[in-house]
């Protein structure tokens, strides 16, 4: 299913109650919201979901709830299981497999950063070995991790030691590296684009699936980009991609992307996700007012199908 999947997956938020505890009850409603907007999967406990800020137990409970709520509704539930502690990551990998995740994914370690491909592969191989029957994705996001491997070579090297490795979440604007990955003979790896702002640029390179935070509320625009590209209406595709890029720029002007889009979702959607967990700062009233005014001008504030 991983290799043939086409379409959009959400990078979902983790909702918190006012007391800071994880709100698991919201997840079934969240799944339904995604389905109404034709988002066919979720990448759980990743960057948007504040996975590194959750405890192991919280990550397990969140994964379980998404897998259960998404069964029969979503095509893919990918669970991010990476962290600084390899034993915790292995425990999360085993747990995800036991509960029927479509795939697991992992960032590189975030503190003791490997300086050679072999060291990073050893870390990932240990994690993947804990879930030997589940497809494994490398989460490539160098702007956060500071680890910028040459991905086409890295994936080929890693595949020799990680039998379940099937691709990567590619959150980078480096189109050259993306192109080289897509040119590998036999297309052995599935690349899920994680940079929402360059979706249109990635489609001619053979990208057919994407994971992103903006698909939580701007999925209709991205669907228009994809459809316009397929019908060779490049003017329409560029126009809609431009709206997405401008909307992201509007949000980023006010603060951290995750915090600000979480506030946008609370403002325009039917669900309340609460505030982010420290160290992310919550959006204040002025942030939200400014963002919503500019999003209304772009006509992207009413895209969610309630």
């Amino acid at each position: 299913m991983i290799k043939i999947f086409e379409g959009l997956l959400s990078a979902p938020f983790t909702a918190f109650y006012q007391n800071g505890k994880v709100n698991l009850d919201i997840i079934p409603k969240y799944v339904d919201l995604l389905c109404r907007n034709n988002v066919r999967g979720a990448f759980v406990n990743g960057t948007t979901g504040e996975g590194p800020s959750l405890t192991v137990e919280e990550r397990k409970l969140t994964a379980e709830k998404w897998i259960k709520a998404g069964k029969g509704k979503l095509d893919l539930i990918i669970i991010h299981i990476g962290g600084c502690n390899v034993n915790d990551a292995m425990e999360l990998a085993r747990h995800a497999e036991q509960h029927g995740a479509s795939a697991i994914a992992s960032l590189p370690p975030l503190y003791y950063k490997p300086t050679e491909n072999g060291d990073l592969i050893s870390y990932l191989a240990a994690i993947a070995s804990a879930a030997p029957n589940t497809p494994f994705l490398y989460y490539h996001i160098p702007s956060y991790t500071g680890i910028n491997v040459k991905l086409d070579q890295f994936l080929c090297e890693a595949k020799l030691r990680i039998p379940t490795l099937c691709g990567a979440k590619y959150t980078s604007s480096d189109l050259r590296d993306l192109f080289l990955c897509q040119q590998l003979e036999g297309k052995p790896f599935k690349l899920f684009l994680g940079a929402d702002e360059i979706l249109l640029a990635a489609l001619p390179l053979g990208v057919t699936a994407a994971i992103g935070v903006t698909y939580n509320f701007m999925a209709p625009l991205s669907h228009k980009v994809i459809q316009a590209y397929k019908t060779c209406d490049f003017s329409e595709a560029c126009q809609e991609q431009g709206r997405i890029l401008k909307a992201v720029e509007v949000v980023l002007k006010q603060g951290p992307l995750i915090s600000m889009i979480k506030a946008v979702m609370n403002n325009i959607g039917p669900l309340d996700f609460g505030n982010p967990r420290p160290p992310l700062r919550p959006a204040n009233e002025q942030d939200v007012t400014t963002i919503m005014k500019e999003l209304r001008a772009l006509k992207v504030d009413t895209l969610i199908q309630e």
Side-chain angles (χ1 to χ4, degrees), residues 203 222-233 236-237:
L203 294 176
S222 294
H223 286 308
K224 288 181 179 180
V225 170
I226 295 169
Q227 184 57 35
Y229 172 77
K230 288 180 177 178
T231 59
C232 298
D233 188 346
E236 172 76 5

